[in-house]
């Protein structure tokens, strides 16, 4: 992180210590990139910008147009990289809707191309209950899903051998598995977690998932303080819907992570409430955990923006604007807990804008 970010973070913290009622403004606003995406993405981004303006969070967005629907009008990958580098290598990203039917020779979707070319190798989702959201389990959940983000079944290497016979290749490479394994163990150590679960299907895919299992187990030898276990993915799905409280940190290949992210998100409130991050060697994207563009809500002002607001709080933490991050997270949690202003997915009838203004009311440094 640049010296500018460190100095801004320091100024904010000193201001809060000496004058909590009137914090000192940072020397300059920090620049971040944003990709609103498809569906309700533009509305969710607008709600974030509305909150940022109303509570004076010291960031400014540079918007880049990227769309899974309008790919020909989307920014080129080199332009996306340039925008990221102009904006502290940080992006707040909405959902890009992938087409089910491919066009011409297209096999690699836009999401996958971005993850590969930007080397966003790790996706991290924190599953945690929020007071005020009723869940079926009524159990305290607090676990992390870490997913390898660049290969596996999403390698998009497919071909039709003969008419009616399609072969799809799943790519697993030791260097990428070692990288995600080290990331997962380091994450567990940094956040004082005690157990790491490897999710796999090595009983059937003995070479591909076998390599993943053995590589992570080998990496575990360097982390004796973390208890390393393993579980087959189908059993993991059953355990997650029956006894989700047992999990701590989980690491897995790409497809399993996508499925379990969505399954776990449903346990704690649904697609609108859980944030995520895609982390790479140079760039980091803050986003929602569930990749649903919610086209049916487009223009109707009732989408739940909780996940994007919490993703923004995580982004502020990353930018060392810790006091603003804590204040935003607390404001969202208080709004959810009081259950006075709720979007439709949480049993209410309030709009996205009304929810945003209520969060603003609760925002206090």
């Amino acid at each position: 992180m640049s010296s500018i970010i460190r100095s801004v973070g320091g100024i904010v913290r000193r201001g809060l210590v000496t004058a909590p009622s009137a914090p000192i403004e940072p020397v300059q606003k920090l620049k971040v990139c944003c990709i609103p995406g498809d569906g309700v993405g533009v509305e969710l981004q607008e709600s974030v910008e509305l909150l940022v303006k109303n509570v004076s969070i010291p960031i400014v967005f540079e918007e880049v147009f990227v769309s899974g629907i309008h790919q020909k009008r989307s920014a080129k990958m080199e332009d996306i990289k340039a925008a990221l580098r102009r904006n502290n290598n940080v992006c707040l990203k909405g959902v890009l809707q992938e087409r089910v039917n491919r066009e011409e020779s297209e096999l690699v979707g836009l999401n996958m191309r971005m993850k590969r070319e930007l080397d966003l190798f790790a996706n991290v989702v924190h599953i945690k209950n929020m007071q005020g959201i009723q869940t079926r389990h009524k159990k305290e959940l607090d676990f992390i899903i870490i997913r390898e983000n660049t290969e596996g079944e999403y390698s998009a290497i497919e071909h039709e051998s003969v008419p009616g016979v399609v072969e799809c290749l799943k790519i697993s490479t030791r260097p990428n598995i070692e990288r995600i394994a080290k990331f997962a163990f380091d994450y567990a150590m940094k956040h004082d977690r005690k157990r790491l679960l490897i999710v796999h299907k090595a009983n059937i895919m003995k070479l591909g998932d076998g390599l993943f299992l053995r590589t992570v187990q080998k990496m575990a030898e360097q982390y004796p303080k973390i208890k390393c276990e393993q579980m087959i993915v189908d059993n993991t799905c059953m355990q997650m819907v029956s006894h989700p409280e047992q999990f701590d940190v989980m690491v897995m290949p790409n497809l399993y992570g996508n499925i379990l992210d969505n399954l776990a998100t449903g346990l704690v409130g649904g697609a609108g409430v859980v944030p995520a991050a895609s982390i790479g060697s140079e760039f980091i994207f803050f986003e929602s955990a569930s990749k649903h563009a919610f086209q049916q809500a487009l223009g109707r002002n009732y989408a739940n923006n909780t996940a994007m607001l919490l993703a923004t709080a995580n982004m502020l933490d990353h930018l060392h604007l810790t006091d603003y991050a804590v204040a935003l997270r607390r404001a969202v949690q208080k709004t959810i807990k009081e259950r006075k202003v709720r979007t439709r997915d949480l049993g209410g009838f309030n709009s996205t804008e009304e929810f945003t203004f209520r969060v603003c009311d609760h925002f206090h440094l």
Side-chain angles (χ1 to χ4, degrees):
M1 192 60 63
S2 69
S3 59
I4 293 176
I5 294 176
R6 286 195 295 272
S7 64
V8 170
I11 291 170
V12 172
R13 284 191 290 273
R14 287 193 294 276
L16 289 172
V17 170
T18 57
S21 60
I24 298 172
E25 286 294 320
V27 175
Q28 67 180 64
K29 293 184 178 181
L30 297 181
K31 298 189 294 182
V32 296
C33 185
C34 74
I35 298 175
D38 296 312
V40 295
V42 172
E43 295 172 40
L44 298 182
Q45 177 62 32
E46 287 175 349
S47 75
V48 171
E49 293 182 16
L50 177 65
L51 179 134
V52 165
K53 179 180 178 180
N54 274 272
V55 302
S56 300
I57 296 175
I59 58 174
V60 60
F61 291 101
E62 178 183 337
E63 183 174 326
V64 179
F65 181 79
V66 182
S67 170
I69 299 174
H70 307 288
Q71 291 195 27
K72 292 180 180 179
R73 294 174 53 200
S74 296
K76 304 293 185 184
M77 202 60 64
E78 54 267 28
D79 296 328
I80 297 173
K81 289 181 181 179
L84 286 164
R85 289 174 177 138
R86 286 195 303 270
N87 292 281
N88 292 302
N89 294 341
V90 172
C91 182
L92 185 67
K93 174 181 166 292
V95 175
L96 303 180
Q97 183 169 321
E98 294 284 6
R99 290 191 290 260
V100 175
N101 299 315
R102 68 188 179 96
E103 291 187 359
E104 300 173 357
S105 61
E106 175 194 58
L107 285 176
V108 182
L110 184 56
N111 277 300
M112 200 62 208
R113 276 202 294 125
M114 286 182 65
K115 290 171 184 176
R116 284 189 194 168
E117 295 191 33
L118 301 178
D119 194 31
L120 301 172
F121 68 90
N123 183 259
V124 180
V125 176
H126 186 181
I127 301 297
K128 187 174 176 62
N129 299 88
M130 294 182 68
Q131 292 185 17
I133 297 179
Q134 295 180 348
T135 60
R136 292 182 177 88
H137 278 284
K138 296 180 172 57
K139 298 175 180 178
E140 288 298 318
L141 305 184
D142 184 5
F143 60 90
I144 310 295
I145 299 176
I146 297 176
R147 150 192 180 193
E148 204 292 319
N149 223 14
T150 62
E151 53 182 21
E153 291 87 353
Y154 289 20
S155 300
I157 303 176
E158 303 177 90
H159 62 274
E160 191 170 19
S161 305
V162 296
V165 179
V166 174
E167 295 179 304
C168 306
L169 300 184
K170 172 179 177 175
I171 304 300
S172 303
T173 61
R174 182 176 284 107
N176 281 338
I177 299 171
E178 288 175 341
R179 180 165 67 164
I180 196 65
K182 186 178 188 307
F183 177 91
F185 279 109
D186 287 344
Y187 187 98
M189 291 289 292
K190 180 179 179 180
H191 294 86
D192 197 29
R193 299 280 177 157
K194 306 302 180 185
R195 294 178 294 114
L196 185 140
L197 179 70
I198 311 166
V199 179
H200 65 91
K201 191 63 177 173
N203 59 325
I204 301 298
M205 288 174 276
K206 300 182 188 301
L207 291 179
D209 278 24
L211 177 64
F212 189 92
L213 175 60
R214 291 190 302 273
T215 303
V216 180
Q217 287 176 329
K218 182 68 175 176
M219 185 65 67
E221 297 173 4
Q222 302 179 30
Y223 298 85
K225 293 184 179 180
I226 303 296
K227 183 179 180 181
C228 184
E229 303 168 310
Q230 55 90 13
M231 187 179 290
I232 295 171
V233 62
D234 40 353
N235 183 31
T236 306
C237 292
M238 181 184 69
Q239 294 295 327
M240 186 165 285
V241 298
S242 55
H243 301 290
E245 72 280 0
Q246 68 183 283
F247 298 117
D248 193 356
V249 177
M250 311 167 73
V251 64
M252 61 202 72
N254 207 337
L255 178 61
Y256 310 154
N258 194 9
I259 294 169
L260 288 169
D261 281 349
N262 283 272
L263 194 160
T265 297
L267 296 177
V268 294
V273 301
V274 181
S278 287
I279 301 168
S281 53
E282 183 178 2
F283 309 114
I284 180 166
F285 280 44
F286 295 92
E287 55 196 348
S288 63
S290 292
K291 307 302 185 284
H292 304 297
F294 203 15
Q295 287 282 356
Q296 61 267 37
L298 179 60
R300 303 179 70 177
N301 193 29
Y302 66 69
N304 189 343
N305 61 344
T306 299
M308 289 303 289
L309 293 177
L310 292 175
T312 302
N314 294 339
M315 181 181 71
L316 295 173
D317 269 328
H318 176 75
L319 293 170
H320 294 188
L321 296 174
T322 308
D323 297 297
Y324 290 93
V326 171
L328 176 53
R329 201 172 288 116
R330 188 189 300 123
V332 172
Q333 291 168 347
K334 187 172 182 179
T335 304
I336 294 287
K337 183 178 179 179
E338 68 180 5
R339 294 175 61 83
K340 292 181 180 179
V341 178
R342 291 178 289 164
T343 49
R344 295 188 183 189
D345 60 318
L346 298 182
F349 296 95
N350 296 103
S351 68
T352 308
E353 190 175 72
E354 288 170 333
F355 184 88
T356 304
F357 279 123
R358 190 60 177 170
V359 173
C360 292
D361 291 340
H362 290 313
F363 185 96
H364 302 291
L365 287 170

